C-alpha cells in the first residue's frame, strides 16, 4: 500500500509542479498523458518503475517530469525559517541572511535544479543565488555557479491593520542551475547558497532581506520506456541489484543512443565498448520494438568495422572495444531476431575480427583492458601479460559467438569458417607455456566463456581464482561482469551470487536509490557512509556496470534464446537450499517468457543422523507464447525426491518442458 501511495503521490507532484506558477522554458514535453500504474517493485529506486507508457507515446522523444526534495536542511539555520516547507509544491522559506540550503532529492536522476523566489531584488541588493549539484553528499568539483534567471512575475499581496488595508507589489523570479548546454546532470543532491552579505551576515545592515523561497524542484528527463522484464529472488538484495542496474540504463537512454555516464565531465558520449553491458541489460529489462530500434541505432553509431561508413567511433582504438561491439551485435540478433540486421553487420564484424586475428598472440598494442592493476590499470599501451591473455581469450569468444549467429542466420559457409578459426585460435592459446597455470582472474574468465578450458581446467581455475573474496572483484564492475559470466557459464550460479554480493551489493547501501558506480573496491565499504564521495571520485551512475542485470536474467532466472528472437528458448532457473525461489520475465518479440521456480523441503524426508543430504521438491510455473525447454542443474536434480518436480504451464502457453 505504501509503495502504491508513494507512486500516486509522485504523479500528483508532477502535476502540481508543472503549472503556470513556474515561468521557465523546458527542453522536453511533460509526461502526458500521465502513465497508468503497473506492478509494484519496492526493491527499485526508479521513481517511475510503475509507469506504463501507452503505445501512442513518442518513444524517440525524451520527456520530463518534476520532483520535490525528500529532505532539506540549512546552515546557518537562523538564516532560513520554514525550511521543511521545501518538500511541498508551495514552499514558504523566509530568508533573512546568507547561508546554504542542502537538498536531498531521494534518488539519482538525469535532472536540473530550479528555484522560485519572491521579493528578491538581486540587481540592487548585491545578493547572489549560487547553486551546486552532485551525485554524492558534497558539491561536485566544477558544478558550482550562479543561478541563471529566467524572468519575473509581478503579483499583489495584501496586509491589513485595523481598518487600513495596504497593497504590496511583490516580484517572483525564476532561476535555474545550468552547468552545461544539455541541462541535465547526474543529480542526487543540490545546494542553494545565498551569497553577498557583509562580513557579519547581519540582515539589518545587508539590503535585500527578507525574501522568500517559494519553490524548489528538479526537472528530470526520461525515456518513455516500459519495464518489460522483471526479476525477484529469495535474496532481496539480488532483486535490488537487478533493478538498480536497469535504472542506470534507463537514466542513460538518450533520444537516439545510450550515454556512457550521467554526470557531465567531458566524456558523456556514446562509447563503443562501454555500451556492451549497457545494451545487454537494456534488452532484458526494456526489450520491445522501440528498444530494439534504439539498440540497432546505437550499433550503427558505434560501428568501426564499416570502413568509411560512419564518423569517428569514440575509443575504437582500444582493441577490445570493437570486439565487444561484435558481441553486442550477437546479443541484439538473438534478442530481436532481426536477421536482416545481422547480415548487414556481418561484414563489419568480420573486418573487426580479422584485424584482431592478424596480430593474435603477438602482444599487440591493445591500449586498455580495464581499470585494474592486474590488466594494466587503464591506459597501458601494449599492457601486461594478463591483459594480453584476457584480450586473446576475448577474441576467441567473439569468434565462437559470431559462428553461432551466422549459423542461426543461415550462413553455413561463414559459420564453418569461424568454427575453424575459433578452433585454431584455441589450439594456439593452449600451446602457450603460460596456459593455464600463469593465467589470472580476467584472462581465466574470458577463457572459460570462450570454451578454451576443459572441464577440469575450469574447475581448477574457479577454485584458484574465483573463490577468493579479497581478489574476485575487478576494480571496475565493467570487468567484473565478465568474471561473473564465467561463473554462470560454468554452471556455478551459487558462486555467481556470491560474487554479486561481494562486488555489487555493497553499492546498494553506499548509493541508495541510485545506480552502480564506474569503479568500486570492496575495501571502500569499511570507511564510507551512504552517499559519501568515493576515492578517485568515480561516476556514480555508469551503465557499463549494469551487466549484472543481464547476468541475473540469463543465469539466475535462467531464460536464454535457443534461436534468434526467442523462437525457441531454454529455461534453467537456479534454485538451491540457499536460494529457494526465483521468478521474473524476459521480453521477446512474441511477448514475455515468465517463470517462477520454488524449492520446498521434502515432507517425506526424515531428519537423518547419517549425514545424508536433505531432499527437496521443486515447483516451476512457466508461461510463454513460443515453445521452450526446461532444464535442471545437475546438483539440483540429484537432490530432488523422485517424481517431486511439478511443472505448471497455463493452457494459453505454447511452452513445452523437459528435464
Amino acid at each position: 500500500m505504501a509503495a502504491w501511495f508513494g507512486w500516486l503521490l509522485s504523479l500528483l507532484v508532477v502535476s502540481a509542479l508543472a503549472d503556470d506558477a513556474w515561468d521557465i522554458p523546458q527542453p522536453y514535453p511533460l509526461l502526458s498523458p500521465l502513465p497508468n500504474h503497473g506492478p509494484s517493485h519496492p526493491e527499485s529506486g526508479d521513481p517511475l518503475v510503475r509507469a506504463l507508457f501507452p503505445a501512442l507515446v513518442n518513444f524517440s522523444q525524451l520527456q520530463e517530469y518534476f520532483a520535490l526534495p525528500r529532505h532539506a536542511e540549512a546552515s546557518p539555520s537562523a538564516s532560513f525559517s520554514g525550511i521543511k516547507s521545501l518538500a511541498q509544491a508551495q514552499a514558504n522559506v523566509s530568508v533573512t541572511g546568507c547561508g546554504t540550503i542542502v537538498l536531498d532529492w531521494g534518488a539519482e536522476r538525469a535532472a536540473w535544479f530550479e528555484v522560485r523566489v519572491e521579493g528578491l531584488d538581486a540587481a540592487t541588493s548585491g545578493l547572489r543565488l549560487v547553486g551546486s549539484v552532485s551525485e554524492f553528499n558534497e558539491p561536485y568539483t566544477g558544478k558550482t555557479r550562479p543561478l541563471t534567471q529566467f524572468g519575473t512575475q509581478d503579483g499583489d499581496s495584501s496586509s491589513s491593520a485595523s481598518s487600513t488595508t495596504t497593497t504590496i507589489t511583490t516580484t517572483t523570479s525564476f532561476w535555474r542551475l545550468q552547468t552545461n548546454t544539455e541541462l541535465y546532470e547526474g543529480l542526487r543532491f543540490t545546494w542553494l547558497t545565498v551569497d553577498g552579505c557583509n562580513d557579519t551576515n547581519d540582515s539589518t545592515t545587508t539590503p535585500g532581506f527578507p525574501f522568500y523561497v517559494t519553490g524548489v524542484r528538479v526537472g528530470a528527463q526520461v525515456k518513455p520506456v516500459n519495464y518489460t522484464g522483471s526479476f525477484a529472488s529469495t535474496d532481496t538484495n539480488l532483486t535490488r541489484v537487478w533493478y538498480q542496474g536497469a535504472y542506470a540504463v534507463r537514466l542513460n537512454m538518450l533520444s537516439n543512443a545510450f550515454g556512457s555516464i550521467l554526470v557531465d565531465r567531458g566524456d558523456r558520449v556514446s562509447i563503443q565498448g562501454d555500451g556492451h553491458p549497457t545494451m545487454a541489460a537494456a534488452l532484458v529489462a526494456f526489450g520491445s520494438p522501440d528498444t530494439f530500434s534504439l539498440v540497432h541505432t546505437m550499433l550503427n553509431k558505434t560501428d568501426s568495422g564499416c570502413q568509411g561508413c560512419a564518423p569517428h567511433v569514440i575509443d575504437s582504438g582500444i582493441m577490445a572495444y570493437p570486439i565487444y561491439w561484435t558481441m553486442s551485435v550477437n546479443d541484439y540478433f538473438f534478442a530481436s531476431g532481426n536477421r536482416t540486421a545481422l547480415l548487414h553487420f556481418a561484414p563489419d564484424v568480420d573486418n573487426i575480427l580479422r584485424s584482431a586475428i592478424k596480430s593474435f598472440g603477438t602482444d599487440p598494442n591493445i591500449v586498455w583492458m580495464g581499470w585494474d592493476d592486474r590488466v594494466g590499470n587503464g591506459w597501458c599501451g601494449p599492457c601486461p601479460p594478463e591483459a594480453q591473455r584476457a584480450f586473446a581469450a576475448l577474441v576467441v569468444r567473439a569468434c565462437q559467438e559470431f559462428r553461432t549467429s551466422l549459423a542461426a542466420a543461415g550462413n553455413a559457409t561463414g559459420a564453418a569458417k569461424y568454427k575453424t578459426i575459433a578452433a585454431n585460435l584455441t589450439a594456439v592459446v593452449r600451446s602457450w607455456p603460460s596456459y593455464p597455470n600463469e593465467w589470472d582472474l580476467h584472462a581465466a574468465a574470458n577463457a572459460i566463456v570462450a570454451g578454451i578450458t576443459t572441464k577440469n581446467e575450469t574447475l581448477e581455475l574457479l577454485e584458484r581464482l574465483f573463490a577468493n573474496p579479497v581478489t574476485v572483484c575487478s576494480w571496475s564492475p565493467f570487468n567484473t561482469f565478465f568474471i561473473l559470466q564465467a561463473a554462470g557459464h560454468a554452471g556455478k550460479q551459487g558462486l555467481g551470487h556470491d560474487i554479486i554480493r561481494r562486488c555489487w551489493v555493497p553499492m546498494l547501501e553506499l548509493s541508495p536509490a541510485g545506480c552502480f558506480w564506474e569503479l568500486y573496491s570492496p575495501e571502500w565499504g569499511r570507511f564510507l557512509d551512504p552517499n559519501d564521495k568515493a576515492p578517485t571520485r568515480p561516476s556514480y551512475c555508469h551503465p557499463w556496470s549494469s551487466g549484472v542485470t543481464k547476468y541475473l536474467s540469463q543465469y539466475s532466472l535462467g531464460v536464454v534464446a535457443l534461436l534468434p528472437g526467442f523462437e525457441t528458448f531454454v529455461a534453467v532457473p537456479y534454485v538451491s537450499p540457499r536460494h529457494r525461489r526465483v521468478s521474473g520475465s524476459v521480453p521477446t518479440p512474441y511477448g514475455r517468457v515468465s517463470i517462477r521456480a520454488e524449492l520446498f523441503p521434502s515432507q517425506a524426508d526424515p531428519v537423518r543422523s547419517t549425514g545424508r543430504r536433505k531432499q527437496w521438491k521443486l515447483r516451476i510455473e512457466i508461461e510463454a507464447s513460443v515453445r521452450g525447454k526446461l532444464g535442471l542443474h545437475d546438483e539440483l536434480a540429484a537432490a530432488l525426491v523422485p517424481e517431486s518436480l511439478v511443472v505448471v504451464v497455463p493452457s494459453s502457453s505454447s511452452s513445452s518442458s523437459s528435464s
Side-chain angles (χ1 to χ4, degrees):
M1 179 65 179
W4 181 88
F5 178 76
W7 180 87
L8 177 61
L9 181 62
S10 70
L11 293 188
L12 295 176
V13 168
V14 167
S15 299
L17 295 179
D19 56 26
D20 292 336
W22 286 86
D23 187 15
I24 302 182
Q26 298 298 322
Y28 305 113
L30 185 70
L31 286 179
S32 179
L34 290 177
N36 298 317
H37 64 275
S40 175
H41 297 289
E43 298 87 358
S44 173
D46 184 350
L48 295 181
V49 68
R50 301 191 66 195
L52 291 177
F53 296 94
L56 57 87
V57 170
N58 182 0
F59 173 85
S60 65
Q61 184 178 38
L62 294 176
Q63 297 192 11
E64 70 174 275
Y65 67 97
F66 300 102
L68 290 169
R70 293 285 183 88
H71 178 74
E73 59 184 50
S75 177
S77 58
S79 293
F80 307 91
S81 61
I83 194 73
K84 291 184 178 180
S85 70
L86 290 175
Q88 304 169 11
Q90 297 297 325
N92 186 23
V93 176
S94 175
V95 183
T96 57
C98 289
T100 298
I101 299 172
V102 183
L103 300 165
D104 178 357
W105 299 89
E108 176 137 9
R109 293 176 171 89
W112 49 92
F113 177 42
E114 298 179 345
V115 181
R116 185 176 62 207
V117 174
E118 184 176 304
L120 172 64
D121 187 346
T124 61
S125 68
L127 297 178
R128 295 192 310 157
L129 298 181
V130 178
S132 305
V133 64
S134 185
E135 298 177 298
F136 36 79
N137 58 13
E138 58 183 88
Y140 196 99
T141 301
K143 304 298 181 185
T144 297
R145 57 196 64 190
L147 301 189
T148 300
Q149 186 171 349
F150 278 87
T152 60
Q153 291 179 351
D154 291 330
D156 294 334
S157 62
S158 299
S159 63
S160 61
S162 300
S163 59
T164 303
T165 301
T166 303
T167 300
I168 303 172
T169 300
T170 61
T171 300
T172 300
S173 53
F174 307 92
W175 307 76
R176 176 189 284 153
L177 175 61
Q178 296 193 167
T179 58
N180 61 70
T181 57
E182 296 175 307
L183 291 187
Y184 77 96
E185 290 282 1
L187 183 154
R188 170 64 190 268
F189 295 92
T190 60
W191 291 257
L192 174 61
T193 297
V194 180
D195 195 10
C197 290
N198 58 31
D199 293 340
T200 62
N201 194 21
D202 183 355
S203 62
T204 63
T205 60
T206 300
F209 295 114
F211 66 89
Y212 303 88
V213 177
T214 58
V216 292
R217 68 181 184 180
V218 292
Q221 68 183 41
V222 62
K223 193 80 163 176
V225 57
N226 295 326
Y227 283 83
T228 51
S230 63
F231 181 83
S233 165
T234 304
D235 185 342
T236 56
N237 277 334
L238 296 181
T239 308
R240 292 173 64 196
V241 164
W242 190 95
Y243 281 98
Q244 188 139 319
Y247 184 41
V249 170
R250 184 183 202 177
L251 286 178
N252 285 277
M253 282 184 171
L254 306 176
S255 59
N256 63 351
F258 292 88
S260 62
I261 181 175
L262 206 55
V263 66
D264 179 21
R265 63 179 192 190
D267 57 348
R268 196 167 67 182
V269 291
S270 297
I271 298 178
Q272 186 181 53
D274 292 22
H276 174 61
T278 305
M279 290 185 283
L283 291 169
V284 299
F286 306 105
S288 68
D290 287 328
T291 299
F292 295 152
S293 177
L294 182 64
V295 171
H296 185 271
T297 300
M298 177 74 171
L299 291 172
N300 268 317
K301 188 173 184 178
T302 56
D303 179 2
S304 61
C306 182
Q307 304 302 321
C309 296
H312 172 66
V313 176
I314 296 172
D315 282 347
S316 62
I318 297 174
M319 288 189 68
Y321 271 26
I323 306 299
Y324 292 133
W325 180 88
T326 72
M327 292 158 56
S328 292
V329 170
N330 299 322
D331 286 348
Y332 167 74
F333 177 44
F334 271 83
S336 69
N338 190 336
R339 180 176 179 272
T340 300
L342 184 280
L343 296 178
H344 166 76
F345 287 126
D348 305 340
V349 174
D350 182 60
N351 286 339
I352 289 168
L353 294 179
R354 283 191 295 106
S355 177
I357 291 166
K358 286 179 182 178
S359 59
F360 191 85
T362 64
D363 291 345
N365 183 7
I366 60 176
V367 182
W368 185 95
M369 201 63 198
W371 294 114
D372 189 282
D373 55 5
R374 288 166 288 190
V375 290
N377 195 22
W379 307 100
C380 52
C383 301
E386 171 67 4
Q388 292 288 347
R389 295 161 188 160
F391 175 71
L394 183 71
V395 173
V396 178
R397 173 184 174 178
C399 290
Q400 293 278 25
E401 293 183 358
F402 188 41
R403 172 188 68 85
T404 300
S405 291
L406 290 173
N411 185 344
T413 300
K417 168 188 169 183
Y418 270 92
K419 180 179 180 180
T420 299
I421 290 173
N424 291 340
L425 296 180
T426 296
V428 170
V429 169
R430 295 184 59 82
S431 71
W432 292 343
S434 65
Y435 178 85
N437 294 332
E438 296 177 23
W439 285 43
D440 208 338
L441 184 64
H442 298 80
N446 286 348
I448 290 170
V449 180
I452 294 171
T453 58
T454 65
K455 182 177 181 179
N456 287 339
E457 288 169 347
T458 296
L459 294 176
E460 187 277 329
L461 289 169
L462 291 175
E463 181 178 357
R464 176 166 65 89
L465 299 170
F466 290 70
N468 187 336
V470 177
T471 59
V472 73
C473 302
S474 189
W475 194 29
S476 167
F478 173 85
N479 293 96
T480 309
F481 172 48
F482 301 100
I483 296 166
L484 186 60
Q485 285 182 306
H489 187 82
K492 302 298 181 181
Q493 277 73 8
L495 172 61
H497 287 178
D498 288 340
I499 294 172
I500 293 171
R501 294 184 185 102
R502 180 66 173 163
C503 308
W504 274 274
V505 166
M507 284 186 279
L508 297 174
E509 309 307 323
L510 292 175
S511 191
C515 310
F516 291 124
W517 299 356
E518 175 186 19
L519 303 171
Y520 174 71
S521 173
E523 67 180 13
W524 292 351
R526 298 203 305 266
F527 57 85
L528 289 178
D529 290 326
N531 298 312
D532 280 356
K533 182 180 74 172
T536 75
R537 200 182 64 190
S539 154
Y540 273 30
C541 193
H542 226 69
W544 80 352
S545 299
S546 294
V548 64
T549 298
K550 162 72 171 182
Y551 174 89
L552 286 168
S553 291
Q554 180 176 357
Y555 288 110
S556 189
L557 190 61
V559 178
V560 179
L562 291 178
L563 289 178
F566 286 85
E567 288 187 9
T568 63
F569 68 91
V570 63
V572 190
Y574 176 70
V575 289
S576 70
R578 186 182 177 190
H579 183 251
R580 295 191 185 182
R581 185 184 69 255
V582 66
S583 62
S585 58
V586 172
T588 82
Y590 304 97
R592 295 184 177 104
V593 175
S594 298
I595 190 167
R596 176 186 175 89
E598 189 163 5
L599 195 63
F600 302 91
S602 170
Q603 300 299 320
D605 187 37
V607 177
R608 296 179 174 88
S609 60
T610 60
R612 179 179 173 183
R613 281 193 308 180
K614 190 176 183 66
Q615 289 189 303
W616 302 84
K617 293 182 178 180
L618 176 63
R619 177 183 175 88
I620 297 177
E621 301 174 16
I622 186 166
E623 184 172 1
S625 299
V626 292
R627 296 184 64 83
K629 296 182 178 181
L630 176 64
L632 297 178
H633 292 277
D634 292 342
E635 293 180 2
L636 176 60
L640 292 178
V641 173
E643 300 181 0
S644 68
L645 172 62
V646 177
V647 180
V648 178
V649 181
S651 58
S652 60
S653 177
S654 301
S655 300
S656 63
S657 63
S658 61
S659 60

